[in-house]
């Protein structure tokens, strides 16, 4: 038996029993010869028969035992790719390295993401493998800063190459007018008709400018693959060398004294020029699809005014550390995530959340880096800097989403893998059919048709169809505060038919607010008077309801008298003495126990409770004095967002731990018809499972720690950006704005993006399915076929760019 050794880093072990359990579990797997787990190193070494079990199956076994396998990840910038076959070849080659579980190459972004486990493979091995395959690879972190410059330089290089090729091809194109009777009256300079001049001009285009196609084809074939370069090299070489053969034959027959042959130098040169033009357009368009990342990176402040040693110093943002005190003046960007120490201002957070209304900031409140301080001067303390800031995390999520593959792309990848060999076979068949049947013995005509088939086929359009749309769609979503964590989530979101909304913090603000102050007909206090007395008594309480009352009094600028003899009565309310009066605030039982008659308030109490509010009775010196009501009110945007979800054809369900009457009252206000009330936190995931078992595709939106299991269980979990880190980590989509319109926008954006991908795939497949037969039938000259091929890739990218203009 041939054994192989695998080393895996284990997470989640706490004692020797854990290590023993993993050893026993792995030992039972068929094909495992020996398994040793080192608790101190948290490492497992396994000897196994690769013919019976794979490393991925061993990892799955460890995970099934309740542990994790740590992965190493590497993000690379790839150079030298020309089409989808190149990307597929890199993925195939890297996947063969020991321990590699993920190898995703994004042709549009020219990046690769690789994940692997074990100690047999290092980052250097991955880079070395890609280099051996004939491409260049560099760590993304090293190149991010000058990525824009590199892209500009590449565009400039391609422009120069195209114009040189065009200048050399123009005389050859001009010489074509002599080939047609209807253009024979046009004057052509004699040198342009000279076969030797044509050979000289076309040789430069073919073997200097076009050398990139030969090297690309060689590298592909050397590694057992085939790409677009193979098709271009075959097609143009056939035209060039056939023309060279005719030129030599003409020269051997006496040269100038003989009739000039019909040469095809212009075919190869013009083909290469048009393909270069298409690649130039494609590169320029691809640059625009990543504008979202560039825009986000450009939001970051470059400097910060930091107080060091008692003085204000202007420092580069890289030198700011956690704990630094920073001064932010009106109109300046807030440089890092921080908390306000001094000052009061309104902050424009639209660049992060998409919300256009500035948010008031007071001491103790958090501020986010890259947002703009509008009015007052602020003194803030840095909490998160560098890669830990919200902006850096947003950029990372968007990059990962753009680099990931949607499941629909696998179809295109499979087609691209066999595309080139099939086209070469079709071209050969076209030549044979024309030479032996359609135009018997006409070598030139048969060759023309075969060249047209070779150059019209375009695997690039297939390869670009999905990633360009994913890039444009996820980038546009990010600009509106919607972060998809991967292409697969962007694809799955469009299939959602049921949206489950957590009540607290999602449909509602998540914080109680004072909603009503009701006086008795013969009350001795006015509204402000009653509120100030109640707030004075409640100020000494720590209950959330008390905080809402005190906050409302503060917002009305009411002066609060001193309270004495405060007493909290659990389950009933509070008692206090305010300005010499005995004040009671609480339930019916509290007042009833003191013999206070509040029968005239019963109807109002029932009305308030029916509306989902918490109503509290107030008594002063043994007499009923009024009612104050507090509620967790719905967000202003909730009702409009629910209407949008219904218009999208979605069922909307609200889930909450609140009692049924309160839940139904909130649901009525939001326009939600179905409610799951009195659901314990651990029961939310079970309710999601029940919906899924009934055939529903469920999206769950929540913001709290108790929502995390349900978010993970749902087909798509959506975390409100105002929520906890736990909820955001468990979700597939993060909504930075924190209102329900983000859910409608996310689903709408997913549907539009997937529709765009399907359009691209249809166009790419239809183009090749229709174009190849037309070329084989002889209806397209080779240079027209080349132009069509060049434009097909451009059209796919331009169609994807339409996603950037969607208004959310």
């Amino acid at each position: 038996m041939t054994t192989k050794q695998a080393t895996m880093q284990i997470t989640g072990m706490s004692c020797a029993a854990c290590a023993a359990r993993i050893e026993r579990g792995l030992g039972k797997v068929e094909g495992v010869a020996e398994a040793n787990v080192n608790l101190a190193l948290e490492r497992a070494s396994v000897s196994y028969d690769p013919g019976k079990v794979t490393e991925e199956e061993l990892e799955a076994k460890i995970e099934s035992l309740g542990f994790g396998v740590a992965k190493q990840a590497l993000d690379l910038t790839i150079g030298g790719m020309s089409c989808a076959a190149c990307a597929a070849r890199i993925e195939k080659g890297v996947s063969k390295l020991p321990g590699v579980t993920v190898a995703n190459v994004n042709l549009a972004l020219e990046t690769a993401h690789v994940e692997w486990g074990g100690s047999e493979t290092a980052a250097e091995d991955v880079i070395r493998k890609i280099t051996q395959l004939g491409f260049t690879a560099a760590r993304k972190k090293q190149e991010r800063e000058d990525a824009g410059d590199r892209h500009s330089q590449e565009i400039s290089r391609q422009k120069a190459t195209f114009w040189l090729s065009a200048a050399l091809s123009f005389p050859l194109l001009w010489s074509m007018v002599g080939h047609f009777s209807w253009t024979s009256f046009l004057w052509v300079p004699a040198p342009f008709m000279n076969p030797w001049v044509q050979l000289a001009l076309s040789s430069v285009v073919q073997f200097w400018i076009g050398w990139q196609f030969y090297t690309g084809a060689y590298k592909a074939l050397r590694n057992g693959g085939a790409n677009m370069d193979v098709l271009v090299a075959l097609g143009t070489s056939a035209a060039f060398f056939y023309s060279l053969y005719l030129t030599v034959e003409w020269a051997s027959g006496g040269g100038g004294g003989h009739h000039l042959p019909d040469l095809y130098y212009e075919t190869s040169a013009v083909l290469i020029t048009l393909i270069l033009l298409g690649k130039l357009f494609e590169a320029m368009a691809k640059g625009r699809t990543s504008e979202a990342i560039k825009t986000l990176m450009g939001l970051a402040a470059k400097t910060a005014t930091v107080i060091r040693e008692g003085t204000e110093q202007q420092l580069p943002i890289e030198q700011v550390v956690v704990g630094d005190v920073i001064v932010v003046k009106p109109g300046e960007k807030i440089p890092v995530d921080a908390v306000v120490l001094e000052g009061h201002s309104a902050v424009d957070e639209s660049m992060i959340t998409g919300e256009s209304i500035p948010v008031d900031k007071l001491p103790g409140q958090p501020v986010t880096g890259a947002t703009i301080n509008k009015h007052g001067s602020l003194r803030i303390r840095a909490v998160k800097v560098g890669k830990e800031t919200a902006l850096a995390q947003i950029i990372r999520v968007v990059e990962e989403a753009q680099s990931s593959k949607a499941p629909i792309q696998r179809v295109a990848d499979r087609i691209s893998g066999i595309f080139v060999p099939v086209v070469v076979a079709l071209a050969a068949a076209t030549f044979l059919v024309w030479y032996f049947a359609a135009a018997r013995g006409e070598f030139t005509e048969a060759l023309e048709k075969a060249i047209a088939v070779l150059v019209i086929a375009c695997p690039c359009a297939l390869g670009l169809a999905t990633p360009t749309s994913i890039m444009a769609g996820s980038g546009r979503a990010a600009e509106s505060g919607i972060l998809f964590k991967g292409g697969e989530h962007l694809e799955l979101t469009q299939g959602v038919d049921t949206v489950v909304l957590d009540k607290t913090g999602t449909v509602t603000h998540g914080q109680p607010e004072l909603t009503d102050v009701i006086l008795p007909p013969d009350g001795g206090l006015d509204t402000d008077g009653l509120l100030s007395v109640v707030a004075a008594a409640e100020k000494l309480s720590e209950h959330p309801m008390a905080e809402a009352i005190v906050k409302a009094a503060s917002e009305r600028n009411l002066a609060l008298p001193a309270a004495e003899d405060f007493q909290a009565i659990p389950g009933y309310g509070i008692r206090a003495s305010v300005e010499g009066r005995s004040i009671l605030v609480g339930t019916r039982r509290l007042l009833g126990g003191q013999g206070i008659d509040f029968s005239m308030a019963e109807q109002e109490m029932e009305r308030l409770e029916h509306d989902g509010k918490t109503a509290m009775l107030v008594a002063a010196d043994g007499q009923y004095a009024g009612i104050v009501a507090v509620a967790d009110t719905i967000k202003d945007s909730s009702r409009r967002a629910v209407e949008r979800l219904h218009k999208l054809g979605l069922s909307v369900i609200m889930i909450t731990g609140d009692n049924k009457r309160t839940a139904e009252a909130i649901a009525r206000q939001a326009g939600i018809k179905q409610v799951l009330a009195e659901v314990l936190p651990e029961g939310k995931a079970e309710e999601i499972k029940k919906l899924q078992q009934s055939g529903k595709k469920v999206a769950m939106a929540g913001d709290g720690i108790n929502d995390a299991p349900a978010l993970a269980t749902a087909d798509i979990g959506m975390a409100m950006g105002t929520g906890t880190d736990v909820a955001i980590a468990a979700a597939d989509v993060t909504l930075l704005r924190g209102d329900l319109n983000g859910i409608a926008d996310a689903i709408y954006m997913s549907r539009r993006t997937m529709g765009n991908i399907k359009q691209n795939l249809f166009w790419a497949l239809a183009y090749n399915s229709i174009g190849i037969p037309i070329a084989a039938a002889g209806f397209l000259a080779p240079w027209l076929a080349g132009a069509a091929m060049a434009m097909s890739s451009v059209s796919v990218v331009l169609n994807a760019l339409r996603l950037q203009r969607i208004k959310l």
Side-chain angles (χ1 to χ4, degrees):
M1 180 180 72
T2 303
T3 60
K4 193 175 180 181
Q5 192 76 17
T7 304
M8 290 169 280
Q9 205 70 26
I10 309 297
T11 60
M13 291 194 297
S14 59
C15 65
C18 297
R21 192 158 88 248
I22 295 172
E23 287 183 352
R24 285 198 304 273
L26 289 172
K28 292 177 182 177
V29 176
E30 184 180 1
V32 172
E34 185 180 12
N36 293 312
V37 179
N38 185 310
L39 177 64
L41 294 174
E42 296 187 329
R43 184 178 295 166
S45 298
V46 187
S47 296
Y48 66 99
D49 180 358
K52 293 183 178 179
V53 65
T54 65
E55 191 164 334
E56 288 76 17
E57 289 171 334
L58 295 176
E59 291 179 6
K61 180 63 178 177
I62 292 171
E63 289 170 354
S64 72
L65 293 170
F67 303 94
V69 180
K71 300 287 186 183
Q72 296 185 66
L74 181 65
D75 289 298
L76 299 169
T77 301
I78 307 296
M81 293 191 294
S82 61
C83 69
C86 298
R89 194 160 79 254
I90 294 172
E91 287 181 351
K92 187 177 179 181
V94 172
S95 295
K96 290 179 181 178
L97 292 172
V100 172
T101 54
V102 175
N104 285 337
V105 177
N106 189 306
L107 174 65
L109 277 175
E110 296 182 335
T111 60
H113 177 77
V114 185
E115 292 181 10
W116 70 94
S119 57
E120 292 182 68
T121 300
E124 291 71 22
D125 299 323
V126 177
I127 293 172
R128 191 179 301 115
K129 180 64 177 178
I130 294 172
T131 304
Q132 289 172 353
L133 291 170
F135 305 92
T136 61
R139 293 175 186 263
K140 277 182 72 176
K141 292 176 183 176
Q142 297 173 354
E143 299 207 347
R144 176 182 280 180
E145 293 179 0
D146 61 349
D149 292 337
R150 287 193 307 102
H151 184 71
S152 298
Q153 291 168 8
E154 178 63 18
I155 293 291
S156 298
R157 187 194 65 78
Q158 289 193 25
K159 281 183 179 177
T161 304
F162 163 72
W163 285 116
L164 176 60
S165 184
L168 293 171
S169 301
F170 179 71
L172 299 172
L173 194 60
W174 195 346
S175 69
M176 286 179 64
V177 301
H179 289 253
F180 308 106
S181 58
W182 51 277
T183 57
S184 58
F185 66 91
L186 294 173
W187 174 75
V188 180
F192 290 2
M193 297 298 293
N194 188 305
W196 298 115
V197 172
Q198 291 186 17
L199 174 61
L201 292 172
S202 62
S203 294
V204 176
V205 176
Q206 185 76 31
F207 299 110
W208 184 43
I209 296 172
W211 188 248
Q212 57 184 294
F213 300 113
Y214 285 103
T215 56
Y218 168 72
K219 290 173 182 176
L221 294 170
R222 185 186 66 184
N223 289 283
N227 59 6
M228 190 195 79
D229 293 332
V230 172
L231 298 179
V232 174
L234 275 175
T236 58
S237 295
F240 178 86
F241 285 109
Y242 178 59
S243 298
L244 178 61
Y245 163 75
L246 293 176
T247 301
V248 172
E249 186 180 54
W250 168 77
S252 63
H258 290 73
H259 175 69
L260 289 173
D262 289 336
L263 303 176
Y264 296 91
Y265 290 121
E266 80 286 340
T267 299
S268 63
V270 171
L271 274 176
I272 289 173
T273 302
L274 288 172
I275 291 167
L276 292 175
L277 178 62
K279 283 187 170 290
L280 173 60
F281 285 159
E282 184 183 313
M284 293 168 68
K286 282 198 296 187
R288 285 174 55 201
T289 62
S290 56
E291 283 296 321
I293 292 288
K294 296 175 189 174
T295 301
L296 288 169
M297 292 176 69
L299 292 175
K302 304 297 186 289
T303 60
T305 304
V306 182
I307 297 177
R308 295 264 176 95
E309 299 175 354
T311 61
E312 293 185 6
Q313 301 179 27
Q314 196 84 1
L315 298 177
I317 195 69
E318 294 79 14
Q319 294 181 21
V320 177
V321 297
V322 172
D324 272 342
V325 176
I326 302 165
V327 175
V328 186
K329 297 172 184 175
E332 290 184 346
K333 284 185 179 179
I334 293 170
V336 296
D337 292 1
V339 63
V340 178
L341 296 177
E342 299 175 18
H344 168 250
S345 183
V347 175
D348 180 2
E349 298 182 339
S350 59
M351 63 290 302
I352 299 293
T353 65
E355 181 58 59
S356 59
I357 301 173
V359 180
D360 285 337
K361 296 294 180 180
L362 299 169
Q365 293 185 321
V367 288
T368 306
T371 57
I372 298 174
N373 180 27
K374 299 292 286 184
H375 304 302
S377 181
L378 294 175
R379 185 168 290 203
I380 61 176
R381 176 179 283 116
V383 175
K384 292 181 179 179
V385 300
K387 296 178 182 177
E388 300 302 316
T389 64
L391 179 63
Q393 296 298 319
I394 290 169
I395 291 171
R396 180 183 60 78
V397 170
V398 175
E399 284 185 327
E400 288 177 357
Q402 292 187 343
S403 298
S404 65
K405 284 189 176 181
I408 196 171
Q409 189 173 346
R410 306 294 176 187
V411 177
D413 288 348
R414 284 196 293 270
I415 296 171
S416 297
I418 60 169
F419 187 86
V420 174
V422 169
V423 170
V424 172
L426 288 172
T430 298
F431 176 84
L432 294 174
V433 168
W434 277 89
Y435 187 74
F436 290 107
R440 191 182 297 273
E442 292 291 336
F443 181 86
T444 303
E445 195 168 346
L447 183 64
E448 265 194 26
K449 308 307 184 272
I451 292 171
V453 170
L454 286 171
V455 298
I456 198 170
C458 186
C460 289
L462 273 174
L464 291 169
T466 301
T468 50
S469 295
I470 293 288
M471 287 165 62
S474 60
R476 178 66 189 92
E479 290 171 359
S480 295
I482 302 163
L483 302 183
F484 290 94
K485 289 190 177 177
E488 66 274 22
H489 306 309
L490 184 56
E491 177 173 342
L492 291 172
T493 300
Q494 57 123 14
V496 166
D497 55 30
T498 303
V499 177
V500 177
L501 306 173
D502 176 56
K503 178 184 81 71
T504 306
T506 304
V507 177
T508 67
H509 288 99
Q511 296 177 340
E513 294 180 2
L514 181 72
T515 58
D516 299 88
V517 179
I518 299 172
L519 303 174
D522 54 351
L525 295 170
D526 60 13
T527 300
D528 285 352
L530 178 63
L531 180 57
S532 65
V533 169
V534 174
E538 294 280 14
K539 191 174 182 180
L540 300 174
S541 172
E542 296 179 353
H543 196 282
M545 300 293 184
E547 292 177 7
I549 293 169
V550 174
K551 181 183 176 185
S554 174
E555 288 173 349
R556 298 187 189 190
N557 296 316
L558 300 181
L560 302 186
E564 298 174 342
D565 303 326
F566 174 82
Q567 181 186 1
I569 308 169
Y572 289 83
I574 62 123
R575 180 200 305 272
S577 177
V578 180
E579 294 182 325
R581 286 184 289 190
S582 176
I583 302 298
L584 292 174
V585 184
T587 63
R588 294 176 176 86
R589 286 185 296 172
L590 177 64
L591 269 64
Q594 299 295 317
I596 299 171
D597 180 20
F598 56 86
S599 56
M600 71 288 291
E602 192 61 49
Q603 189 173 349
E604 283 289 354
M605 290 283 286
E606 289 181 359
R607 179 185 66 80
L608 293 169
E609 288 169 348
H610 181 265
D611 291 340
K613 300 173 182 178
T614 300
M616 292 168 278
L617 294 164
V618 183
D621 290 333
Q623 298 293 318
Y624 166 67
I627 302 172
V628 290
V630 174
D632 182 9
T633 57
I634 72 167
K635 296 176 181 177
D636 296 338
S637 58
S638 292
R639 187 171 186 87
R640 168 68 182 139
V642 170
E643 288 175 358
R644 289 183 61 200
L645 291 171
H646 284 145
K647 285 179 180 177
L648 288 171
L650 301 165
S651 298
V652 182
I653 302 170
M654 189 178 80
I655 191 168
T656 179
D658 283 352
N659 65 72
K660 190 171 184 181
R661 185 162 67 173
T662 301
E664 287 178 345
I666 294 293
R668 279 197 303 274
Q669 294 174 42
I672 299 171
K673 296 172 183 173
Q674 191 172 349
V675 178
L676 298 173
E678 300 176 17
V679 180
L680 296 174
E682 57 271 23
K684 290 182 179 179
E686 286 301 318
E687 294 293 340
I688 298 294
K689 285 181 183 176
K690 288 178 185 176
L691 290 168
Q692 291 171 326
Q693 288 165 2
S694 67
K696 303 290 187 183
K697 294 291 183 184
V698 183
M700 166 73 188
D703 73 333
I705 291 174
N706 62 355
D707 296 324
L711 291 173
T713 302
D715 297 286
I716 291 293
M718 295 185 178
M720 313 304 282
T722 52
T724 66
D725 291 341
V726 175
I728 291 171
D732 306 309
V733 183
T734 300
L735 309 173
L736 297 177
R737 274 185 306 196
D739 77 60
L740 297 184
N741 278 304
I743 300 172
D745 289 341
I747 293 171
Y748 177 71
M749 198 69 219
S750 172
R751 291 180 178 179
R752 288 293 300 270
T753 301
M754 292 312 300
N756 191 271
I757 289 173
K758 289 171 183 174
Q759 289 168 7
N760 281 347
L761 288 173
F762 173 80
W763 163 249
L765 290 168
Y767 162 80
N768 285 292
S769 301
I770 297 170
I772 291 174
I774 289 175
F779 296 119
L780 281 179
W783 70 272
L784 278 175
M789 186 269 277
M791 290 303 107
S792 65
S793 294
V794 177
S795 65
V796 163
V797 178
L798 291 177
N799 186 49
L801 285 173
R802 293 191 306 116
L803 292 170
Q804 294 184 333
R805 298 199 299 272
I806 291 176
K807 293 182 179 180
L808 295 176

